[in-house]
Amino acid sequence: MTAYPNLLSPLQVGSLTLSNRMVMGAMHTRLETLDQPLERLAAFYTERAEGEIALMLTGGYAPVPEGVMEAGGPLFNRREQLAEHRFLVQAVQKKGGRLVLQILHAGRYARVPDCVAPSAGKARINPYSPRVLDTDEVWATIKSYVHTAALAQEAGYTGVEIMGSEGYLINEFTAPLTNQRSDEFGGSLQGRMKLAVEIVKAVRQQVGADFLLIYRLSAIDLMEGGMCAPEIQALAQAIEQAGADMINTGIGWHESAVPTIAASVPRAAWTTAVAQVKAAVTIPVMASNRINTPAIAEQLLASGAADLVSMARPLLADPDFARKVRMGQEQSINTCIACNQSCLDRIFSESSASCLVNPRAGQELDFPLIPASKHKRVAVIGAGPAGMACALYAARRGHKVSLFEASGHLGGQLNLAKQVPGKNEFNETLRYFSVALTQAQVHIHLKTRVSSESLQGQEYDEIVVATGVRPRCIEMEGAQLPMVLSYEQVLSRQAQVGKRVAIIGAGGIGFDVAEFLSGDTRESQDDTVFFKHWGVDPTSQSSGGIQKPDYAPKGLHEIYLLQRKSEAPGKRLGKTTGWVLKSRLRRAGVQMMVGVSYTKISPQGLHYVVAGEPKILDVDTVIVCAGQESNRDLYATLQPLGLPVHIIGGAEHAVELDAARAIEQGMRLAYRL
Ligand code: NAP
Ligand code: SF4
């Protein structure tokens, strides 16, 4: 008897029978466009097909050049491209998988100078102003969708998804905010829906009854001037009547001021919006966004809010998600922690997507799942992210691995990170490593401090030092006063923090500490609190589902976050999540000060100079978040002994260390052993 009867039940969609209710949603991985061999993208898809996901969607391909996400972005409009698409489709089919092509016209989000839109008005996230499409051009755009759908069918795809959400072209037509047209494609609701409906009708006519046609509909726009619930439901019905087999749902626009997929969004927060779409139609409806565990997916389906779940990032994190669900191995799922660090943030930095918790994602060809040619005895010292990853991948490659940790638990700095409100998903990473290391038969030795003496005579072929970092201490008069705390003392709750607090260092950890002291832990766990704080009406009775936020700061601490650099605070935080954190801190009243120069700490507070003027910040606690230094003590004693020693993670290089780099470095070394 499975714990996931809904997730694992088959579903008839159009003429297809899906083996389960789990779908890999569309993701831009940049594997489609970077100058990389097609085999790389094929390997990414085939590994997920082998993982038994019922259906996979490609990243969005534009039907016309002006609709691409950015210059050189995915475009599928020529017969000469058929061969590369056939290659992908056949690779997936050989593994028993099904691939659906997403057709995405980015509209005013297209980062190209000739981008187009229903009406004038630049998106705040795009430097380019769009040109307004005339009526003939809108009809021509419809034909371009039909052409791409026909090519997709010829290439062998199982179907197409028409991207009608997240603020892209079709969504821009449906929302009053971006559609002020007076022709047949604007004005009334019927006019605003017309582009979407005509595309679905025309594509259906072209591809026939047996080709899967999915429409991705914005279940909540999260933009003032967006659609309201009755309009969204009317659109869903019109899409069903136009011939779609299934509706997928999207949440918010890319320029929304409400987070939709960050870790601070409660899991399955958008269920109400999806349920409203489902209530309006008879075809299957798919839920998406912040669905990252089988339990939450099962609960969502059992509630009747949706028929399927779309998971994109969770499939980056674990290609075997669906297979593990079928086999009852949910404890060994590598859960997406919604950090965006190695997927979306990388894509916006113009590199290809991977995953913080699964650095093999997108690099399957470079790190194949095959044993090492020679099996060795390996000692890994330090069970933080780098050490755990190295031990795990080394053991999976057949090495006999012992993992030593001085403290009583696995995880190193992850144990601090998980204390921060909105970062409790790190608990899943700790659970995953604990289960996976045991399954891989790594010998774990907790509370074991390793020395050069204890290693001698042990005959390890390879020794990996992953002893991590220490918080950097500051050298300044008063730095030894009891009112001065390290971030470690604060996040591990070893010290009492006063009412008025100065945080020295506004890097990632300074921000995290400010959030730890001021944030509301309920927000990332309780939908009602989240919606209230961010001004969301999940039922979209108001236009776009936006209402006035209602936030009362905790007020336990008065917090000052300081940095010496004069750049904007938080400039180096994650591209897609930094704004969420900054906005939470601003709203909680955290005061940020830049361009300061510290002079001393005294019982009066923190003495500093800004713009040449000496000042005293009257605080009773100073928390030092001034970065880290490598802990290389053990390494220094091992090197002279001529042992085969490697050093990784923060112990190797502390500057700009994060869990993504540590885990990837651990994996890379494991493949070299
Ligand atoms: P960090 O990002 O390097 O920030 C430490 C800050 O402390 C520096 O920006 C520096 O800023 C200041 N500082 C350095 N030495 C100092 C000194 N001697 N005296 C006073 N101030 C000093 O380091 P972190 O905050 O410890 O974070 C470590 C790593 O984890 C980083 O790579 C970070 O990106 C990552 N992380 C990211 C997040 C996130 O994105 N949310 C969260 C946690 C950690 P000034 O010199 O300008 O004052
Ligand atoms: Fe999820 Fe983070 Fe991996 Fe992206 S990088 S897939 S958000 S765990």
Side-chain angles (χ1 to χ4, degrees):
M1 175 67 184
T2 172
Y4 308 104
N6 288 287
L7 260 188
L8 292 170
S9 64
L11 179 72
Q12 185 74 28
V13 187
S15 62
L16 286 181
T17 307
L18 302 181
S19 54
N20 60 54
R21 309 293 182 100
M22 292 169 271
V23 172
M24 184 176 95
M27 281 178 276
H28 308 294
T29 61
R30 278 183 183 273
L31 295 173
E32 305 88 358
T33 45
L34 287 184
D35 195 13
Q36 303 200 37
L38 203 53
E39 286 77 6
R40 220 172 251 286
L41 184 57
F44 174 77
Y45 286 139
T46 52
E47 202 161 288
R48 280 140 187 93
E50 285 177 310
E52 301 180 12
I53 197 82
L55 207 59
M56 290 186 288
L57 275 75
T58 65
Y61 284 80
V64 284
E66 63 273 22
V68 293
M69 296 285 288
E70 62 190 336
L75 169 70
F76 188 14
N77 64 345
R78 289 176 293 114
R79 293 191 61 75
E80 304 87 84
Q81 296 170 292
L82 276 170
E84 63 192 68
H85 286 274
R86 278 199 187 108
F87 176 80
L88 289 176
V89 169
Q90 285 167 8
V92 168
Q93 283 171 351
K94 265 188 215 146
K95 301 292 179 188
R98 288 180 168 134
L99 200 55
V100 169
L101 182 98
Q102 189 190 66
I103 310 180
L104 183 158
H105 187 313
R108 69 177 198 158
Y109 285 171
R111 284 191 297 278
V112 287
D114 55 347
C115 61
V116 296
S119 298
K122 194 178 87 61
R124 72 178 173 86
I125 55 172
N126 193 351
Y128 298 110
S129 293
R131 183 178 65 76
V132 177
L133 288 170
D134 68 26
T135 308
D136 289 345
E137 287 174 318
V138 180
W139 283 109
T141 304
I142 295 169
K143 281 193 185 150
S144 74
Y145 275 83
V146 175
H147 179 55
T148 298
L151 289 173
Q153 190 173 31
E154 201 173 335
Y157 282 100
T158 297
V160 289
E161 175 174 88
I162 308 293
M163 178 46 148
S165 65
E166 333 292 300
Y168 294 120
L169 184 78
I170 299 177
N171 207 175
E172 290 158 19
F173 269 86
T174 56
L177 169 70
T178 37
N179 185 342
Q180 290 92 44
R181 299 176 73 93
S182 52
D183 67 355
E184 59 195 294
F185 292 101
S188 66
L189 174 62
Q190 296 307 316
R192 283 185 276 120
M193 296 193 312
K194 186 164 180 167
L195 173 66
V197 171
E198 292 298 330
I199 288 172
V200 173
K201 263 198 222 163
V203 168
R204 173 56 79 208
Q205 205 174 9
Q206 168 67 39
V207 297
D210 291 340
F211 191 63
L212 186 65
L213 205 174
I214 308 172
Y215 180 86
R216 189 159 190 196
L217 181 139
S218 183
I220 181 167
D221 283 335
L222 297 176
M223 297 285 291
E224 262 179 62
M227 293 178 99
C228 56
E231 291 186 329
I232 295 166
Q233 291 188 316
L235 175 61
Q237 286 162 355
I239 293 296
E240 176 173 12
Q241 279 157 21
D245 295 308
M246 169 152 82
I247 290 180
N248 186 8
T249 48
I251 305 294
W253 290 25
H254 286 313
E255 60 194 302
S256 299
V258 177
T260 57
I261 59 169
S264 52
V265 179
R267 290 173 176 179
W270 307 106
T271 305
T272 305
V274 177
Q276 291 189 156
V277 174
K278 172 139 175 70
V281 295
T282 61
I283 51 177
V285 170
M286 183 147 69
S288 69
N289 287 42
R290 283 298 276 131
I291 302 165
N292 64 341
T293 66
I296 201 82
E298 176 67 20
Q299 199 182 316
L300 197 151
L301 296 188
S303 75
D307 303 285
L308 306 94
V309 287
S310 162
M311 295 173 290
R313 296 172 302 166
L315 265 291
L316 270 178
D318 197 330
D320 290 327
F321 189 104
R323 189 174 55 76
K324 288 175 181 172
V325 172
R326 180 179 63 75
M327 297 177 75
Q329 296 172 350
E330 60 275 33
Q331 286 302 310
S332 64
I333 289 178
N334 196 358
T335 304
C336 165
I337 58 170
C339 64
N340 287 359
Q341 253 174 271
S342 298
C343 52
L344 285 170
D345 286 350
R346 279 222 206 163
I347 292 167
F348 287 111
S349 317
E350 311 208 336
S351 50
S352 60
S354 186
C355 173
L356 180 144
V357 298
N358 172 25
R360 282 191 67 252
Q363 305 193 84
E364 289 80 4
L365 290 180
D366 305 310
F367 302 100
L369 298 170
I370 49 172
S373 51
K374 185 176 169 213
H375 292 174
K376 298 178 176 174
R377 290 190 54 184
V378 180
V380 179
I381 300 138
M388 291 193 300
C390 186
L392 178 60
Y393 287 100
R396 284 183 178 163
R397 303 195 69 230
H399 299 304
K400 194 164 185 294
V401 183
S402 297
L403 176 61
F404 298 94
E405 167 59 38
S407 79
H409 40 257
L410 299 170
Q413 299 268 313
L414 296 187
N415 292 298
L416 295 179
K418 74 176 188 188
Q419 303 297 338
V420 178
K423 290 201 166 180
N424 53 327
E425 292 284 10
F426 272 118
N427 281 310
E428 300 289 354
T429 308
L430 292 167
R431 182 260 312 146
Y432 165 73
F433 271 111
S434 167
V435 171
L437 287 165
T438 307
Q439 281 173 346
Q441 298 185 345
V442 171
H443 298 275
I444 300 172
H445 306 268
L446 298 177
K447 296 187 183 166
T448 308
R449 190 169 288 281
V450 172
S451 64
S452 54
E453 292 78 29
S454 64
L455 281 176
Q456 276 177 18
Q458 292 288 322
E459 292 176 4
Y460 287 111
D461 301 307
E462 308 278 2
I463 296 169
V464 179
V465 175
T467 42
V469 291
R470 294 193 189 99
R472 176 180 289 129
C473 299
I474 46 167
E475 285 174 23
M476 169 187 325
E477 187 184 330
Q480 306 305 324
L481 287 170
M483 67 189 280
V484 182
L485 305 175
S486 72
Y487 68 81
E488 226 172 38
Q489 287 173 296
V490 174
L491 291 176
S492 59
R493 295 188 165 86
Q494 285 168 21
Q496 194 80 23
V497 176
K499 171 105 181 79
R500 290 170 56 81
V501 183
I503 299 174
I504 290 188
I509 291 183
F511 267 84
D512 275 356
V513 167
E515 172 70 357
F516 176 75
L517 295 174
S518 67
D520 187 338
T521 43
R522 295 170 310 157
E523 189 176 301
S524 57
Q525 281 154 25
D526 182 333
D527 297 355
T528 317
V529 176
F530 173 82
F531 292 141
K532 217 166 84 170
H533 288 182
W534 285 95
V536 174
D537 161 17
T539 62
S540 282
Q541 294 311 307
S542 55
S543 139
I546 293 292
Q547 61 188 8
K548 203 168 169 300
D550 174 6
Y551 178 80
K554 265 200 317 189
L556 293 181
H557 304 279
E558 194 176 314
I559 301 167
Y560 299 87
L561 182 56
L562 298 98
Q563 78 178 19
R564 298 178 299 186
K565 289 188 279 294
S566 47
E567 68 184 30
K571 196 173 166 208
R572 295 155 203 242
L573 294 173
K575 276 189 193 296
T576 60
T577 52
W579 69 272
V580 181
L581 191 51
K582 278 187 271 183
S583 137
R584 281 159 66 114
L585 294 192
R586 260 196 307 271
R587 153 188 102 177
V590 173
Q591 298 188 49
M592 302 185 197
M593 297 155 76
V594 302
V596 304
S597 157
Y598 311 109
T599 28
K600 65 173 183 178
I601 301 166
S602 78
Q604 276 181 291
L606 176 64
H607 301 239
Y608 66 99
V609 176
V610 66
E613 212 181 310
K615 297 200 171 186
I616 304 176
L617 201 52
D618 171 19
V619 292
D620 35 34
T621 303
V622 174
I623 304 172
V624 180
C625 302
Q628 293 88 21
E629 276 158 9
S630 298
N631 178 359
R632 301 167 78 105
D633 299 352
L634 178 66
Y635 185 67
T637 63
L638 293 181
Q639 257 189 324
L641 302 178
L643 296 168
V645 190
H646 310 264
I647 184 163
I648 55 170
E652 190 253 340
H653 190 62
V655 177
E656 292 186 359
L657 171 76
D658 59 22
R661 195 182 91 203
I663 292 176
E664 175 152 5
Q665 206 182 5
M667 176 192 74
R668 282 182 180 276
L669 175 61
Y671 272 82
R672 288 202 310 273
L673 294 176

